[in-house]
Amino acid sequence: MKRDFFCGLSCVLVLCAGSLGARASDESDGGKLFLKLCAPCHGPDGRARTRAARKLGVKDLTKSETSDAEIRKQIIEGRKDKNGAQKMPAFGDRVTAEQIEALLAEVKKFRK
């Protein structure tokens, strides 16, 4: 009886660990992160053709020449206009360093 219990328990732990690993990899997928966090304003194609983009003057990522360091900074800190009003939300408290790198790579894919 004890052996069956422990065998069953180990199978459950293996299955849980596998599903957690899948979730973690999904969260570090740049494309999925971009769609979740960035596409509402920048659009799924990065061209900033959304209602929010028109209202806020969001940047078309296909025309971006922003450096990697500046992209990282904007993901972490957000972006403010000349008057200090928040133009892009800060994501530094919601994403990991790995996710920032995944987003950086995804954003750069839109460049022509």
Side-chain angles (χ1 to χ4, degrees):
M1 180 83 168
K2 284 185 180 180
R3 183 174 181 217
D4 290 340
F5 172 77
F6 287 114
C7 184
L9 181 60
S10 66
C11 288
V12 169
L13 291 174
V14 167
L15 287 173
C16 287
S19 69
L20 288 175
R23 189 178 316 146
S25 67
D26 285 351
E27 291 175 359
S28 63
D29 179 300
K32 289 179 183 177
L33 281 169
F34 182 87
L35 289 175
K36 179 181 176 183
L37 301 175
C38 311
C41 292
H42 288 284
D45 62 358
R47 294 183 183 271
R49 293 181 180 164
T50 65
R51 181 177 288 169
R54 286 188 295 274
K55 183 177 179 181
L56 298 172
V58 174
K59 186 178 204 171
D60 179 341
L61 298 175
T62 65
K63 298 176 181 177
S64 176
E65 295 179 7
T66 306
S67 70
D68 290 6
E70 185 60 29
I71 294 170
R72 281 187 198 94
K73 181 180 176 186
Q74 288 180 15
I75 293 169
I76 294 167
E77 299 176 8
R79 188 161 183 239
K80 294 182 180 184
D81 67 13
K82 296 174 190 172
N83 300 320
Q86 197 75 31
K87 298 284 282 179
M88 178 180 143
F91 294 103
D93 61 343
R94 298 192 284 179
V95 295
T96 65
E98 180 182 346
Q99 290 171 324
I100 291 168
E101 293 306 309
L103 282 169
L104 170 64
E106 194 64 28
V107 166
K108 290 175 64 176
K109 287 181 186 178
F110 293 115
R111 293 180 179 179
K112 292 187 173 192

